[in-house]
Amino acid sequence: LYNLSLHGGLTPLPPLLPPTAFTPEPVRRRVAGMKQILLMIAVVALVSDSLVAVETQNPNRLSPEEIKAGFHLLFNGANLDGWKAQSEKNFRVKDGRIIADGTKGRSTMYYVGPKGEASFVNYELRLQVLTRKGANSGIYFRTKWQKSGYPDKFGYEAQIANTHKNRFKTGSIQKIRNITKSPVKDDEWFDYHIIAKGRSITLKLNGKVISEFVEPEDERKRKPTGGLIALQGHDPTVVEFRRIRIKKF
């Protein structure tokens, strides 16, 4: 840019000052701080999206806290290695989940371990469960293998029945501590924790204690006779399981 002088000459104008030259120092510092905050928010959002993607792709994994506590997985998310079903047609793996399909009849699937020698007596079992309207299933524990039928006379059953007509709902220790209203909903994954330690049994749903039972010294309503864990395929409904992990005491 040039300036036209009265004497007919052109003289260059002084260079324009940058906008920041007119911005007070405190304002510039605030602007810089806001930019840093926005950058941090963007980074946090990116990391959160990445974690959600990992959770979606591979839910069958242990958290750092669970690894430190001594948990290990009973289901790898890819196949049924270590599991033994009464009828293989009732259980399959899809998208990292065990599908217990009762539309093909009744069946039970036991975790026996890679060498068929699994035995759990004192432990905390954690898993996630997904039900649909009217679904019915259960998790047997401190039970033993039987070739057919449900192991109703051996060990315990943690009931799964949110909206099924069965009057004993999810969170019940079947026929011992019975819940008449389910604390969890269909169509939503929920956490089921089973803690068996000595004569004490505790069931938790989404971290909340639902049922507790201490076996009497002189009487056991359903005597524990084994160290197996099993999933029930109850006709004629379908229930899904994932993130099955355990820690021995």
Side-chain angles (χ1 to χ4, degrees):
L1 295 176
Y2 292 88
N3 181 35
L4 180 63
S5 69
L6 295 175
H7 304 288
L10 293 175
T11 58
L13 289 172
L16 294 174
L17 294 174
T20 54
F22 302 99
T23 305
E25 181 63 24
V27 175
R28 287 203 297 271
R29 285 200 298 268
R30 286 199 296 270
V31 171
M34 291 178 63
K35 288 181 179 179
Q36 290 180 343
I37 292 172
L38 291 173
L39 179 60
M40 291 174 63
I41 292 173
V43 170
V44 169
L46 181 61
V47 171
S48 298
D49 289 344
S50 299
L51 291 175
V52 169
V54 170
E55 175 71 18
T56 302
Q57 295 170 7
N58 182 27
N60 298 288
R61 56 192 175 87
L62 298 174
S63 68
E65 292 78 14
E66 289 173 333
I67 294 173
K68 186 176 180 180
F71 281 87
H72 67 271
L73 292 171
L74 299 186
F75 171 52
N76 61 22
N79 53 52
L80 294 176
D81 287 355
W83 293 85
K84 182 180 180 180
Q86 295 169 337
S87 174
E88 294 183 357
K89 68 181 181 180
N90 294 86
F91 297 91
R92 65 184 185 276
V93 175
K94 181 180 179 182
D95 298 330
R97 315 174 217 180
I98 292 177
I99 311 296
D101 189 350
T103 64
K104 300 178 181 180
R106 294 186 173 191
S107 184
T108 306
M109 184 171 70
Y110 300 77
Y111 183 80
V112 298
K115 297 181 180 179
E117 300 174 351
S119 180
F120 306 102
V121 179
N122 296 303
Y123 55 85
E124 179 178 356
L125 175 69
R126 298 179 179 180
L127 65 163
Q128 291 184 325
V129 184
L130 179 67
T131 61
R132 307 298 182 192
K133 184 178 180 180
N136 191 347
S137 185
I139 306 156
Y140 294 103
F141 57 102
R142 285 186 170 176
T143 190
K144 68 178 183 178
W145 165 264
Q146 62 181 51
K147 188 175 181 179
S148 62
Y150 300 144
D152 292 332
K153 297 180 181 180
F154 310 118
Y156 303 98
E157 179 188 353
Q159 173 72 306
I160 300 172
N162 296 343
T163 53
H164 189 269
K165 61 183 179 180
N166 191 318
R167 67 182 185 276
F168 303 142
K169 302 303 183 183
T170 303
S172 297
I173 305 174
Q174 184 77 328
K175 298 181 181 179
I176 295 176
R177 291 287 184 269
N178 298 313
I179 305 300
T180 57
K181 183 177 181 181
S182 176
V184 291
K185 299 178 180 180
D186 291 331
D187 303 311
E188 295 180 1
W189 286 102
F190 59 88
D191 292 308
Y192 217 140
H193 292 187
I194 300 171
I195 302 171
K197 191 172 184 179
R199 292 180 174 269
S200 175
I201 305 295
T202 303
L203 302 189
K204 294 182 179 182
L205 291 171
N206 292 334
K208 182 180 179 180
V209 174
I210 303 299
S211 296
E212 294 180 288
F213 173 63
V214 177
E215 299 167 351
E217 291 286 345
D218 58 348
E219 178 187 0
R220 293 188 177 187
K221 294 185 178 180
R222 296 179 68 174
K223 185 177 180 179
T225 53
L228 294 184
I229 292 164
L231 305 178
Q232 183 189 68
H234 195 294
D235 60 329
T237 64
V238 177
V239 174
E240 302 179 22
F241 301 90
R242 70 181 186 184
R243 293 202 71 200
I244 307 174
R245 62 261 196 232
I246 196 167
K247 176 184 74 171
K248 289 185 177 183
F249 295 132

